[in-house]
Amino acid sequence: DVKVTQSSRYLVKRTGEKVFLECVQDMDHENMFWYRQDPGLGLRLIYFSYDVKMKEKGDIPEGYSVSREKKERFSLILESASTNQTSMYLCASSLLSGGVSTDTQYFGPGTRLTVL
Amino acid sequence: DQQVKQNSPSLSVQEGRISILNCDYTNSMFDYFLWYKKYPAEGPTFLISISSIKDKNEDGRFTVFLNKSAKHLSLHIVPSQPGDSAVYFCAASEDATDSWGKLQFGAGTQVVVTP
């Protein structure tokens, strides 16, 4: 079974703080993704990575950065947290098979971030 | 602008009856469609998918129908059970070498199955 874990289930931070959200997957997946989930908006892609040290912007990258130093770990960084970044953050991974990305993504349990 | 739309934010259905969830998309490049189920405080879990070369895919109580000309898909759950109460997300991906399996998600439909 694929397991994707996220470092915290709940996090409360203050405006202006630097926030790190960590994600680890144990299935040797090449692709990793960060989403945020907001009511009425579904899941929106922030950043993704298809290899170590590689990163690509998703649909809403503003205010975020990412780091992928090891294949199994993908970190989301909020350089200066703001109240509009209060959200549920979900990490996911998927397999690259034969040079083709598979579409099924496996998700972690999520981190509920509140910025005060 | 959302490329995948789930226009019903909620659905209430009696246990044993059919649940029908709808999803529309605007991007004609989408060629693979997935449904995910999400319980509170958990991440989404994959439920069922369909390729654009098919118009129906069935897995137990779950069937997904795809109408490419209408850019519409639906998920049928028969019979509905209390454990099906969850948020259901429709998702789609493009067949492009640089897509990296990225998914576009709808806003979700909250299903409540009542006894």
Side-chain angles (χ1 to χ4, degrees):
Chain A
D1 259 3
V2 176
K3 191 159 186 191
V4 180
T5 57
Q6 296 183 228
S7 51
S8 306
R9 296 301 298 270
Y10 300 94
L11 212 51
V12 179
K13 295 292 182 181
R14 297 215 173 269
T15 302
E17 280 193 79
K18 191 168 186 176
V19 182
F20 292 88
L21 302 182
E22 304 283 339
C23 175
V24 177
Q25 50 94 5
D26 67 357
M27 282 303 290
D28 204 34
H29 283 176
E30 287 78 9
N31 301 330
M32 295 188 76
F33 307 83
W34 274 107
Y35 295 89
R36 60 179 284 177
Q37 182 198 352
D38 299 289
L41 296 175
L43 279 69
R44 293 179 293 166
L45 182 63
I46 305 171
Y47 266 96
F48 69 100
S49 168
Y50 52 87
D51 202 351
V52 175
K53 297 197 185 291
M54 305 305 289
K55 59 185 179 184
E56 293 286 340
K57 293 180 180 179
D59 298 319
I60 52 164
E62 297 78 20
Y64 303 95
S65 62
V66 290
S67 172
R68 192 156 180 212
E69 296 296 318
K70 293 184 178 181
K71 189 176 184 179
E72 68 272 17
R73 188 178 295 270
F74 192 34
S75 303
L76 180 69
I77 303 153
L78 286 67
E79 296 290 342
S80 177
S82 63
T83 55
N84 63 13
Q85 293 178 309
T86 292
S87 186
M88 169 69 83
Y89 289 88
L90 292 159
C91 175
S93 70
S94 69
L95 183 65
L96 189 68
S97 177
V100 177
S101 292
T102 58
D103 297 285
T104 304
Q105 294 182 12
Y106 297 87
F107 284 84
T111 296
R112 170 70 65 184
L113 173 67
T114 301
V115 183
L116 302 175
Chain B
D1 191 28
Q2 280 201 303
Q3 299 180 60
V4 178
K5 298 178 184 178
Q6 294 176 256
N7 292 319
S8 298
S10 64
L11 174 69
S12 183
V13 64
Q14 270 192 317
E15 183 177 0
R17 301 277 190 151
I18 184 171
S19 294
I20 300 176
L21 289 77
N22 293 304
C23 178
D24 297 293
Y25 61 96
T26 56
N27 187 345
S28 57
M29 298 300 292
F30 286 149
D31 75 328
Y32 197 76
F33 304 89
L34 307 90
W35 285 93
Y36 279 82
K37 177 179 179 178
K38 185 180 185 299
Y39 292 119
E42 293 183 15
T45 54
F46 170 73
L47 189 59
I48 192 169
S49 62
I50 188 166
S51 164
S52 60
I53 62 173
K54 295 186 174 182
D55 55 17
K56 177 182 173 181
N57 189 28
E58 194 171 349
D59 183 3
R61 297 185 298 113
F62 302 92
T63 303
V64 57
F65 295 92
L66 175 63
N67 182 335
K68 279 189 68 178
S69 60
K71 293 192 178 68
H72 177 83
L73 62 153
S74 61
L75 174 68
H76 292 208
I77 307 173
V78 183
S80 299
Q81 298 175 354
D84 296 331
S85 296
V87 177
Y88 290 79
F89 291 100
C90 174
S93 68
E94 289 185 34
D95 179 22
T97 54
D98 62 347
S99 72
W100 301 108
K102 287 185 296 180
L103 298 176
Q104 288 288 334
F105 283 85
T109 296
Q110 172 75 61
V111 172
V112 176
V113 180
T114 57

